[in-house]
């Protein structure tokens, strides 16, 4: 057997299997089939999904990077706790400071090709899929603002993961799609003031929708 030199070892990337395992576990966490703040056992996931521990471990580290699970001392992994009311308030105060401004700058300076990638999420086939599209939508606008600190600090909050685990009402998706379309129209028109106002409105309305849901 040929021993591969370290220097020639391929960069490890999630195999197809780990990717599939990741999607399955992620869907279960997003739908709360695996509840928040709950220990996730590598053994039992491996048994349940009929795979070895390796793809489970790979999937868990991908989930960790996306804020859905975290490593616990001596206890393996656990799902992230659900957002409480104080965290919701902090999150939306922060979003209101950053994202309307980012939308204005994106309208003024975003490239046409990045603009072409903005989609409202109308075509999303599930709650899970809409969470991804919403994430991309807000990420593209934050990047379009051309300030790395803005883009990085928003990305690190994993805003959409936490929001979508907190709330399942389908009207959230429909209303958000409407509001996203207004933002896209303002950005396409390169109207900074309008984009800023439309983003502020979207965040205020999102907050209103979630506030009813997260009482304490
Ligand atoms: Zn949104």
């Amino acid at each position: 057997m040929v021993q591969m030199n370290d220097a020639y070892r391929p960069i490890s990337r999630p195999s197809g299997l780990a990717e599939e395992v990741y999607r399955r576990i992620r869907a279960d966490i997003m739908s709360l089939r695996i509840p928040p703040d709950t220990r996730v056992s590598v053994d039992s996931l491996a048994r349940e999904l009929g795979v070895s521990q390796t793809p489970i471990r790979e999937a868990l580290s991908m989930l960790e990077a996306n804020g859905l699970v975290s490593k616990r001392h001596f206890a393996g992994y656990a799902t992230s706790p659900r957002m409480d009311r104080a965290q919701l308030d902090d999150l939306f105060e922060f979003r209101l400071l950053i994202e309307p401004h980012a939308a204005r700058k994106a309208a003024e300076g975003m490239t046409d090709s990045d603009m072409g990638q903005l989609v409202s999420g109308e075509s999303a086939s599930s709650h899970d899929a809409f969470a991804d599209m919403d994430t991309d939508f807000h990420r593209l606008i934050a990047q379009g603002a051309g300030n790395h600190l803005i883009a990085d600090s928003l990305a690190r909050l994993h805003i959409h993961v936490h929001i979508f685990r907190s709330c399942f009402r389908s009207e959230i998706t429909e209303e958000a799609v409407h509001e996203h379309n207004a933002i896209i129209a303002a950005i396409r028109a390169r109207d900074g003031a309008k984009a800023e106002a439309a983003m502020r409105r979207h965040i205020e309305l999102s907050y209103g929708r979630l506030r009813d849901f997260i009482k304490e």
Side-chain angles (χ1 to χ4, degrees):
M1 194 176 133
V2 181
Q3 200 69 46
M4 250 204 294
N5 185 300
D6 267 358
Y8 294 102
R9 215 168 263 165
I11 294 164
S12 84
R13 59 174 64 202
S15 61
L17 182 59
E19 183 81 37
E20 202 183 316
V21 170
Y22 163 77
R23 275 183 223 285
R24 286 278 297 275
I25 304 174
R26 183 180 191 277
D28 284 349
I29 295 175
M30 294 291 277
S31 68
L32 307 185
R33 203 180 79 82
I34 305 176
D37 214 4
T38 302
R39 199 178 160 236
V40 181
S41 141
V42 174
D43 270 354
S44 52
L45 280 172
R47 233 175 299 123
E48 199 178 321
L49 297 174
V51 297
S52 75
Q53 292 199 355
T54 310
I56 302 282
R57 286 187 197 285
E58 277 179 52
L60 285 169
S61 59
M62 290 159 77
L63 290 162
E64 188 182 21
N66 289 312
L68 283 163
V69 302
S70 53
K71 253 189 205 128
R72 299 279 165 93
H73 260 311
F74 307 113
Y77 286 93
T79 52
S80 304
R82 202 175 196 158
M83 214 173 20
D84 64 19
R85 182 58 190 270
Q87 287 171 316
L88 178 79
D89 290 352
D90 287 355
L91 180 62
F92 276 80
E93 183 181 15
F94 183 77
R95 294 190 72 185
L96 274 176
L97 282 170
I98 303 292
E99 291 193 66
H101 171 76
R104 172 192 282 271
K105 287 192 70 188
E108 290 164 356
M110 192 173 197
T111 64
D112 287 341
S113 81
D114 284 347
M115 201 185 282
Q117 290 182 51
L118 284 175
V119 289
S120 64
E122 245 155 320
S123 59
S125 54
S126 65
H127 186 76
D128 213 36
F130 184 74
D132 282 342
M133 291 176 106
D134 201 17
T135 304
D136 287 343
F137 179 81
H138 289 270
R139 181 180 48 77
L140 278 168
I141 292 173
Q143 287 170 351
N147 176 329
H148 289 295
L149 288 176
I150 289 179
D152 289 352
S153 54
L154 286 170
R156 214 169 294 135
L157 292 172
H158 305 296
I159 292 168
H160 299 87
V161 162
H162 297 300
I163 289 177
F164 285 93
R165 277 171 82 220
S166 303
C167 195
F168 288 98
R169 290 182 304 183
S170 62
E171 62 266 32
I172 296 252
T173 311
E174 283 164 38
E175 290 173 15
V177 163
H178 248 52
E179 294 154 21
H180 284 178
N181 279 325
I183 297 166
I184 293 173
I187 290 178
R188 288 216 178 112
R190 299 272 182 209
D191 187 332
K194 221 178 193 166
E196 180 174 346
M199 181 62 88
R200 174 165 295 115
R201 187 174 154 73
H202 172 47
I203 295 173
E204 282 169 353
L205 291 171
S206 303
Y207 177 65
R209 289 188 289 261
L210 287 159
R211 199 183 38 203
D212 297 343
F213 218 72
I214 303 174
K215 303 270 188 224
E216 53 191 52

PDB file of all heavy atoms in Angstrom, residues 95 99 120 130 133-135 137-138 160 163-164 172 176-177 179-180 183 199 202-203 206 209, ligand 1:
ATOM      1  N   ARG A  95     -29.805  44.803  14.590  1.00  0.00           N
ATOM      2  CA  ARG A  95     -30.141  44.752  13.160  1.00  0.00           C
ATOM      3  C   ARG A  95     -30.625  46.120  12.670  1.00  0.00           C
ATOM      4  O   ARG A  95     -30.294  46.539  11.565  1.00  0.00           O
ATOM      5  CB  ARG A  95     -31.254  43.730  12.906  1.00  0.00           C
ATOM      6  CG  ARG A  95     -30.848  42.315  13.173  1.00  0.00           C
ATOM      7  CD  ARG A  95     -31.920  41.344  12.674  1.00  0.00           C
ATOM      8  NE  ARG A  95     -31.939  41.289  11.209  1.00  0.00           N
ATOM      9  CZ  ARG A  95     -32.838  40.598  10.511  1.00  0.00           C
ATOM     10  NH1 ARG A  95     -33.791  39.936  11.123  1.00  0.00           N
ATOM     11  NH2 ARG A  95     -32.772  40.574   9.200  1.00  0.00           N
ATOM     12  N   GLU A  99     -28.538  47.115   9.500  1.00  0.00           N
ATOM     13  CA  GLU A  99     -29.000  46.665   8.189  1.00  0.00           C
ATOM     14  C   GLU A  99     -29.642  47.745   7.298  1.00  0.00           C
ATOM     15  O   GLU A  99     -29.436  47.718   6.085  1.00  0.00           O
ATOM     16  CB  GLU A  99     -29.909  45.435   8.328  1.00  0.00           C
ATOM     17  CG  GLU A  99     -29.113  44.215   8.777  1.00  0.00           C
ATOM     18  CD  GLU A  99     -29.902  42.915   8.622  1.00  0.00           C
ATOM     19  OE1 GLU A  99     -30.209  42.518   7.483  1.00  0.00           O
ATOM     20  OE2 GLU A  99     -30.227  42.309   9.653  1.00  0.00           O
ATOM     21  N   SER A 120     -36.151  37.065  -3.504  1.00  0.00           N
ATOM     22  CA  SER A 120     -36.972  37.352  -2.327  1.00  0.00           C
ATOM     23  C   SER A 120     -37.294  36.115  -1.496  1.00  0.00           C
ATOM     24  O   SER A 120     -37.669  36.213  -0.340  1.00  0.00           O
ATOM     25  CB  SER A 120     -38.271  38.016  -2.763  1.00  0.00           C
ATOM     26  OG  SER A 120     -39.005  37.111  -3.562  1.00  0.00           O
ATOM     27  N   PHE A 130     -36.607  28.387   3.035  1.00  0.00           N
ATOM     28  CA  PHE A 130     -36.768  29.838   3.136  1.00  0.00           C
ATOM     29  C   PHE A 130     -35.743  30.430   4.104  1.00  0.00           C
ATOM     30  O   PHE A 130     -35.195  31.510   3.858  1.00  0.00           O
ATOM     31  CB  PHE A 130     -38.185  30.254   3.557  1.00  0.00           C
ATOM     32  CG  PHE A 130     -38.346  31.754   3.558  1.00  0.00           C
ATOM     33  CD1 PHE A 130     -38.439  32.462   2.372  1.00  0.00           C
ATOM     34  CD2 PHE A 130     -38.332  32.462   4.757  1.00  0.00           C
ATOM     35  CE1 PHE A 130     -38.516  33.859   2.364  1.00  0.00           C
ATOM     36  CE2 PHE A 130     -38.409  33.857   4.760  1.00  0.00           C
ATOM     37  CZ  PHE A 130     -38.509  34.548   3.556  1.00  0.00           C
ATOM     38  N   MET A 133     -32.713  30.958   2.101  1.00  0.00           N
ATOM     39  CA  MET A 133     -32.822  32.050   1.127  1.00  0.00           C
ATOM     40  C   MET A 133     -32.804  33.397   1.846  1.00  0.00           C
ATOM     41  O   MET A 133     -32.224  34.366   1.365  1.00  0.00           O
ATOM     42  CB  MET A 133     -34.097  31.885   0.305  1.00  0.00           C
ATOM     43  CG  MET A 133     -34.009  30.678  -0.609  1.00  0.00           C
ATOM     44  SD  MET A 133     -35.538  30.383  -1.505  1.00  0.00           S
ATOM     45  CE  MET A 133     -35.068  30.929  -3.131  1.00  0.00           C
ATOM     46  N   ASP A 134     -33.439  33.458   3.010  1.00  0.00           N
ATOM     47  CA  ASP A 134     -33.451  34.692   3.791  1.00  0.00           C
ATOM     48  C   ASP A 134     -32.024  35.021   4.254  1.00  0.00           C
ATOM     49  O   ASP A 134     -31.592  36.169   4.215  1.00  0.00           O
ATOM     50  CB  ASP A 134     -34.396  34.522   4.990  1.00  0.00           C
ATOM     51  CG  ASP A 134     -34.864  35.859   5.557  1.00  0.00           C
ATOM     52  OD1 ASP A 134     -34.746  36.886   4.862  1.00  0.00           O
ATOM     53  OD2 ASP A 134     -35.342  35.869   6.701  1.00  0.00           O
ATOM     54  N   THR A 135     -31.308  33.996   4.669  1.00  0.00           N
ATOM     55  CA  THR A 135     -29.914  34.185   5.077  1.00  0.00           C
ATOM     56  C   THR A 135     -29.107  34.780   3.927  1.00  0.00           C
ATOM     57  O   THR A 135     -28.388  35.765   4.099  1.00  0.00           O
ATOM     58  CB  THR A 135     -29.279  32.833   5.478  1.00  0.00           C
ATOM     59  OG1 THR A 135     -30.086  32.251   6.502  1.00  0.00           O
ATOM     60  CG2 THR A 135     -27.861  33.007   5.992  1.00  0.00           C
ATOM     61  N   PHE A 137     -30.164  36.378   1.277  1.00  0.00           N
ATOM     62  CA  PHE A 137     -30.668  37.709   0.936  1.00  0.00           C
ATOM     63  C   PHE A 137     -29.982  38.774   1.808  1.00  0.00           C
ATOM     64  O   PHE A 137     -29.405  39.741   1.307  1.00  0.00           O
ATOM     65  CB  PHE A 137     -32.192  37.736   1.142  1.00  0.00           C
ATOM     66  CG  PHE A 137     -32.838  39.061   0.846  1.00  0.00           C
ATOM     67  CD1 PHE A 137     -33.138  39.430  -0.455  1.00  0.00           C
ATOM     68  CD2 PHE A 137     -33.162  39.945   1.876  1.00  0.00           C
ATOM     69  CE1 PHE A 137     -33.745  40.657  -0.734  1.00  0.00           C
ATOM     70  CE2 PHE A 137     -33.765  41.165   1.613  1.00  0.00           C
ATOM     71  CZ  PHE A 137     -34.057  41.522   0.304  1.00  0.00           C
ATOM     72  N   HIS A 138     -30.017  38.556   3.122  1.00  0.00           N
ATOM     73  CA  HIS A 138     -29.441  39.555   4.024  1.00  0.00           C
ATOM     74  C   HIS A 138     -27.915  39.571   3.951  1.00  0.00           C
ATOM     75  O   HIS A 138     -27.297  40.622   4.105  1.00  0.00           O
ATOM     76  CB  HIS A 138     -29.954  39.332   5.452  1.00  0.00           C
ATOM     77  CG  HIS A 138     -31.405  39.693   5.586  1.00  0.00           C
ATOM     78  ND1 HIS A 138     -31.822  40.964   5.924  1.00  0.00           N
ATOM     79  CD2 HIS A 138     -32.533  38.971   5.384  1.00  0.00           C
ATOM     80  CE1 HIS A 138     -33.158  41.002   5.931  1.00  0.00           C
ATOM     81  NE2 HIS A 138     -33.611  39.792   5.603  1.00  0.00           N
ATOM     82  N   HIS A 160     -30.691  34.122  11.151  1.00  0.00           N
ATOM     83  CA  HIS A 160     -31.855  33.434  10.587  1.00  0.00           C
ATOM     84  C   HIS A 160     -32.085  32.056  11.169  1.00  0.00           C
ATOM     85  O   HIS A 160     -33.216  31.624  11.321  1.00  0.00           O
ATOM     86  CB  HIS A 160     -31.773  33.461   9.067  1.00  0.00           C
ATOM     87  CG  HIS A 160     -31.767  34.866   8.582  1.00  0.00           C
ATOM     88  ND1 HIS A 160     -30.600  35.589   8.455  1.00  0.00           N
ATOM     89  CD2 HIS A 160     -32.778  35.713   8.330  1.00  0.00           C
ATOM     90  CE1 HIS A 160     -30.907  36.824   8.094  1.00  0.00           C
ATOM     91  NE2 HIS A 160     -32.222  36.932   8.005  1.00  0.00           N
ATOM     92  N   ILE A 163     -33.953  32.795  14.341  1.00  0.00           N
ATOM     93  CA  ILE A 163     -35.311  33.265  14.096  1.00  0.00           C
ATOM     94  C   ILE A 163     -36.206  32.125  13.641  1.00  0.00           C
ATOM     95  O   ILE A 163     -37.304  31.933  14.150  1.00  0.00           O
ATOM     96  CB  ILE A 163     -35.311  34.379  13.024  1.00  0.00           C
ATOM     97  CG1 ILE A 163     -34.694  35.630  13.612  1.00  0.00           C
ATOM     98  CG2 ILE A 163     -36.717  34.637  12.509  1.00  0.00           C
ATOM     99  CD1 ILE A 163     -34.581  36.771  12.636  1.00  0.00           C
ATOM    100  N   PHE A 164     -35.715  31.339  12.692  1.00  0.00           N
ATOM    101  CA  PHE A 164     -36.588  30.320  12.119  1.00  0.00           C
ATOM    102  C   PHE A 164     -36.828  29.143  13.050  1.00  0.00           C
ATOM    103  O   PHE A 164     -37.805  28.430  12.912  1.00  0.00           O
ATOM    104  CB  PHE A 164     -36.089  29.884  10.737  1.00  0.00           C
ATOM    105  CG  PHE A 164     -36.394  30.924   9.718  1.00  0.00           C
ATOM    106  CD1 PHE A 164     -35.472  31.902   9.412  1.00  0.00           C
ATOM    107  CD2 PHE A 164     -37.648  30.986   9.135  1.00  0.00           C
ATOM    108  CE1 PHE A 164     -35.765  32.912   8.509  1.00  0.00           C
ATOM    109  CE2 PHE A 164     -37.963  31.989   8.238  1.00  0.00           C
ATOM    110  CZ  PHE A 164     -37.016  32.955   7.915  1.00  0.00           C
ATOM    111  N   ILE A 172     -45.310  34.328   8.068  1.00  0.00           N
ATOM    112  CA  ILE A 172     -44.017  34.989   8.220  1.00  0.00           C
ATOM    113  C   ILE A 172     -43.291  34.986   6.880  1.00  0.00           C
ATOM    114  O   ILE A 172     -42.745  35.998   6.454  1.00  0.00           O
ATOM    115  CB  ILE A 172     -43.152  34.232   9.261  1.00  0.00           C
ATOM    116  CG1 ILE A 172     -43.810  34.311  10.616  1.00  0.00           C
ATOM    117  CG2 ILE A 172     -41.708  34.692   9.242  1.00  0.00           C
ATOM    118  CD1 ILE A 172     -43.139  35.188  11.604  1.00  0.00           C
ATOM    119  N   ALA A 176     -42.648  38.274   4.587  1.00  0.00           N
ATOM    120  CA  ALA A 176     -41.240  38.611   4.393  1.00  0.00           C
ATOM    121  C   ALA A 176     -40.899  38.684   2.904  1.00  0.00           C
ATOM    122  O   ALA A 176     -40.138  39.558   2.481  1.00  0.00           O
ATOM    123  CB  ALA A 176     -40.341  37.595   5.098  1.00  0.00           C
ATOM    124  N   VAL A 177     -41.480  37.803   2.095  1.00  0.00           N
ATOM    125  CA  VAL A 177     -41.225  37.820   0.651  1.00  0.00           C
ATOM    126  C   VAL A 177     -41.654  39.165   0.055  1.00  0.00           C
ATOM    127  O   VAL A 177     -40.927  39.787  -0.724  1.00  0.00           O
ATOM    128  CB  VAL A 177     -41.952  36.640  -0.046  1.00  0.00           C
ATOM    129  CG1 VAL A 177     -42.052  36.867  -1.550  1.00  0.00           C
ATOM    130  CG2 VAL A 177     -41.245  35.317   0.240  1.00  0.00           C
ATOM    131  N   GLU A 179     -41.894  42.031   1.625  1.00  0.00           N
ATOM    132  CA  GLU A 179     -40.972  43.083   2.091  1.00  0.00           C
ATOM    133  C   GLU A 179     -39.627  42.983   1.376  1.00  0.00           C
ATOM    134  O   GLU A 179     -39.028  44.002   1.039  1.00  0.00           O
ATOM    135  CB  GLU A 179     -40.782  42.957   3.611  1.00  0.00           C
ATOM    136  CG  GLU A 179     -42.071  43.245   4.384  1.00  0.00           C
ATOM    137  CD  GLU A 179     -42.145  42.565   5.747  1.00  0.00           C
ATOM    138  OE1 GLU A 179     -41.085  42.184   6.296  1.00  0.00           O
ATOM    139  OE2 GLU A 179     -43.270  42.389   6.255  1.00  0.00           O
ATOM    140  N   HIS A 180     -39.178  41.749   1.137  1.00  0.00           N
ATOM    141  CA  HIS A 180     -37.924  41.569   0.389  1.00  0.00           C
ATOM    142  C   HIS A 180     -38.059  42.165  -1.018  1.00  0.00           C
ATOM    143  O   HIS A 180     -37.130  42.800  -1.512  1.00  0.00           O
ATOM    144  CB  HIS A 180     -37.580  40.081   0.260  1.00  0.00           C
ATOM    145  CG  HIS A 180     -37.035  39.474   1.512  1.00  0.00           C
ATOM    146  ND1 HIS A 180     -36.708  38.143   1.611  1.00  0.00           N
ATOM    147  CD2 HIS A 180     -36.732  40.014   2.719  1.00  0.00           C
ATOM    148  CE1 HIS A 180     -36.254  37.884   2.826  1.00  0.00           C
ATOM    149  NE2 HIS A 180     -36.254  39.005   3.518  1.00  0.00           N
ATOM    150  N   ILE A 183     -37.465  45.791  -1.019  1.00  0.00           N
ATOM    151  CA  ILE A 183     -36.041  46.121  -0.855  1.00  0.00           C
ATOM    152  C   ILE A 183     -35.313  45.930  -2.191  1.00  0.00           C
ATOM    153  O   ILE A 183     -34.525  46.779  -2.619  1.00  0.00           O
ATOM    154  CB  ILE A 183     -35.398  45.247   0.250  1.00  0.00           C
ATOM    155  CG1 ILE A 183     -36.059  45.522   1.613  1.00  0.00           C
ATOM    156  CG2 ILE A 183     -33.890  45.503   0.330  1.00  0.00           C
ATOM    157  CD1 ILE A 183     -35.735  44.491   2.695  1.00  0.00           C
ATOM    158  N   MET A 199     -35.693  48.399   4.174  1.00  0.00           N
ATOM    159  CA  MET A 199     -35.040  47.442   5.070  1.00  0.00           C
ATOM    160  C   MET A 199     -35.476  47.708   6.516  1.00  0.00           C
ATOM    161  O   MET A 199     -35.757  46.768   7.276  1.00  0.00           O
ATOM    162  CB  MET A 199     -33.513  47.543   4.958  1.00  0.00           C
ATOM    163  CG  MET A 199     -32.770  46.566   5.855  1.00  0.00           C
ATOM    164  SD  MET A 199     -33.092  44.818   5.473  1.00  0.00           S
ATOM    165  CE  MET A 199     -31.827  44.538   4.215  1.00  0.00           C
ATOM    166  N   HIS A 202     -38.852  46.227   6.976  1.00  0.00           N
ATOM    167  CA  HIS A 202     -38.803  44.754   7.022  1.00  0.00           C
ATOM    168  C   HIS A 202     -38.344  44.276   8.405  1.00  0.00           C
ATOM    169  O   HIS A 202     -38.919  43.355   8.979  1.00  0.00           O
ATOM    170  CB  HIS A 202     -37.857  44.240   5.927  1.00  0.00           C
ATOM    171  CG  HIS A 202     -37.566  42.775   5.977  1.00  0.00           C
ATOM    172  ND1 HIS A 202     -38.550  41.817   6.135  1.00  0.00           N
ATOM    173  CD2 HIS A 202     -36.400  42.077   5.897  1.00  0.00           C
ATOM    174  CE1 HIS A 202     -37.997  40.607   6.145  1.00  0.00           C
ATOM    175  NE2 HIS A 202     -36.691  40.742   6.009  1.00  0.00           N
ATOM    176  N   ILE A 203     -37.339  44.922   8.955  1.00  0.00           N
ATOM    177  CA  ILE A 203     -36.822  44.477  10.255  1.00  0.00           C
ATOM    178  C   ILE A 203     -37.825  44.804  11.363  1.00  0.00           C
ATOM    179  O   ILE A 203     -38.069  43.985  12.251  1.00  0.00           O
ATOM    180  CB  ILE A 203     -35.429  45.088  10.516  1.00  0.00           C
ATOM    181  CG1 ILE A 203     -34.445  44.532   9.465  1.00  0.00           C
ATOM    182  CG2 ILE A 203     -34.934  44.744  11.919  1.00  0.00           C
ATOM    183  CD1 ILE A 203     -33.084  45.157   9.494  1.00  0.00           C
ATOM    184  N   SER A 206     -40.607  42.273  11.050  1.00  0.00           N
ATOM    185  CA  SER A 206     -40.145  40.945  11.499  1.00  0.00           C
ATOM    186  C   SER A 206     -40.147  40.893  13.021  1.00  0.00           C
ATOM    187  O   SER A 206     -40.558  39.899  13.623  1.00  0.00           O
ATOM    188  CB  SER A 206     -38.710  40.656  11.056  1.00  0.00           C
ATOM    189  OG  SER A 206     -38.571  40.740   9.692  1.00  0.00           O
ATOM    190  N   ARG A 209     -43.592  40.464  14.324  1.00  0.00           N
ATOM    191  CA  ARG A 209     -44.103  39.103  14.132  1.00  0.00           C
ATOM    192  C   ARG A 209     -43.522  38.149  15.178  1.00  0.00           C
ATOM    193  O   ARG A 209     -44.209  37.265  15.679  1.00  0.00           O
ATOM    194  CB  ARG A 209     -43.766  38.599  12.722  1.00  0.00           C
ATOM    195  CG  ARG A 209     -44.563  39.275  11.624  1.00  0.00           C
ATOM    196  CD  ARG A 209     -44.331  38.619  10.277  1.00  0.00           C
ATOM    197  NE  ARG A 209     -43.023  38.855   9.708  1.00  0.00           N
ATOM    198  CZ  ARG A 209     -42.754  39.773   8.776  1.00  0.00           C
ATOM    199  NH1 ARG A 209     -43.706  40.532   8.296  1.00  0.00           N
ATOM    200  NH2 ARG A 209     -41.533  39.921   8.307  1.00  0.00           N
TER     201      ARG A 209
HETATM  202 ZN1  LIG B   1     -35.597  38.945   5.529  1.00  0.00          ZN
END
